[in-house]
Amino acid sequence: MIAEVASWVAPAATMIAAMMTAANIGSRVTGWGFAVFVAGSIAWSVVGIATGQTNLVLTNAFLTLVNLFGVWRWLGRQAKYDDGSARAAHRSARARVPTLFALGTLPGTKIVGPHGDAIGTIVDAMAGCHDAKLSYVVVSVGGLGGLGEQLHAIDPNLLAFSHDGVTTTLSRADLAGIPTLEPEDWPAMLPTATSAPLEIPLAAVDRS
């Protein structure tokens, strides 16, 4: 009976965990994905014991250790780092100091346009070595799971950063008018076409 239940739990847990970790939508989701992987590897070990498959047992015993490390890495350590940066951002928003923005949260952050809708997703950002200031922010638009997306390099001065997220006065049409980047070929500096001035109050641009 236990082996029969394990034979159903094992593949289900493995598939669910794979989707959770592959989605890469946050340290906690990834950490819980590894926790589900632990359940799956234990279930596979039970199946291996019940069917006399020593190789299956040994493989999943090793995978259980690897998955436990993943739980500690993402649900333990990285989640604490995320909590620390989030608390610093919220405290700075209430204190008389420049408001902080956690750079580690940039990838995956939605950029909210002037009408309150998300017009793109930040992929990464490039900073200058001489002054550590952001040179440009790479934004993904459209596509599904990375397929069919378009990448644009945006002047960070056209973005307003806060502990609540990133906003801009750029419209969807403005963003579509910015030249696209090749995924594997980013420029050494911000293309001049992306630096067209927009009416963004300097006080609204919270740069950390």
Side-chain angles (χ1 to χ4, degrees):
M1 181 63 181
I2 295 178
E4 184 177 352
V5 173
S7 67
W8 284 98
V9 170
T14 302
M15 289 186 287
I16 292 171
M19 290 188 290
M20 293 175 69
T21 54
N24 191 27
I25 55 177
S27 58
R28 282 182 169 76
V29 173
T30 300
W32 280 111
F34 277 107
V36 177
F37 263 135
V38 170
S41 58
I42 291 175
W44 279 119
S45 297
V46 172
V47 172
I49 293 172
T51 57
Q53 299 182 68
T54 304
N55 58 338
L56 187 61
V57 175
L58 294 177
T59 299
N60 281 280
F62 172 75
L63 289 177
T64 298
L65 296 177
V66 173
N67 293 330
L68 286 171
F69 175 78
V71 172
W72 171 81
R73 167 70 175 79
W74 293 101
L75 202 55
R77 189 179 70 170
Q78 188 59 46
K80 290 179 180 178
Y81 292 165
D82 292 348
D83 288 343
S85 64
R87 289 192 179 100
H90 283 286
R91 286 169 180 163
S92 66
R94 296 193 300 267
R96 288 188 143 184
V97 296
T99 303
L100 300 175
F101 183 89
L103 292 179
T105 65
L106 270 180
T109 297
K110 302 290 184 184
I111 296 180
V112 178
H115 303 296
D117 58 330
I119 63 172
T121 304
I122 296 177
V123 173
D124 209 337
M126 302 299 292
C129 295
H130 63 294
D131 57 9
K133 291 183 179 179
L134 293 182
S135 177
Y136 62 84
V137 176
V138 178
V139 177
S140 169
V141 178
L144 180 62
L147 299 176
E149 68 179 355
Q150 290 187 331
L151 300 180
H152 305 275
I154 298 179
D155 187 337
N157 289 304
L158 303 179
L159 304 174
F161 298 85
S162 76
H163 69 285
D164 292 323
V166 180
T167 58
T168 183
T169 58
L170 289 170
S171 66
R172 289 181 182 273
D174 294 329
L175 193 55
I178 296 175
T180 58
L181 304 179
E182 292 298 325
E184 72 285 357
D185 187 18
W186 294 3
M189 62 181 293
L190 181 72
T192 55
T194 67
S195 301
L198 293 178
E199 294 183 359
I200 299 181
L202 292 179
V205 182
D206 188 4
R207 299 289 300 279
S208 54

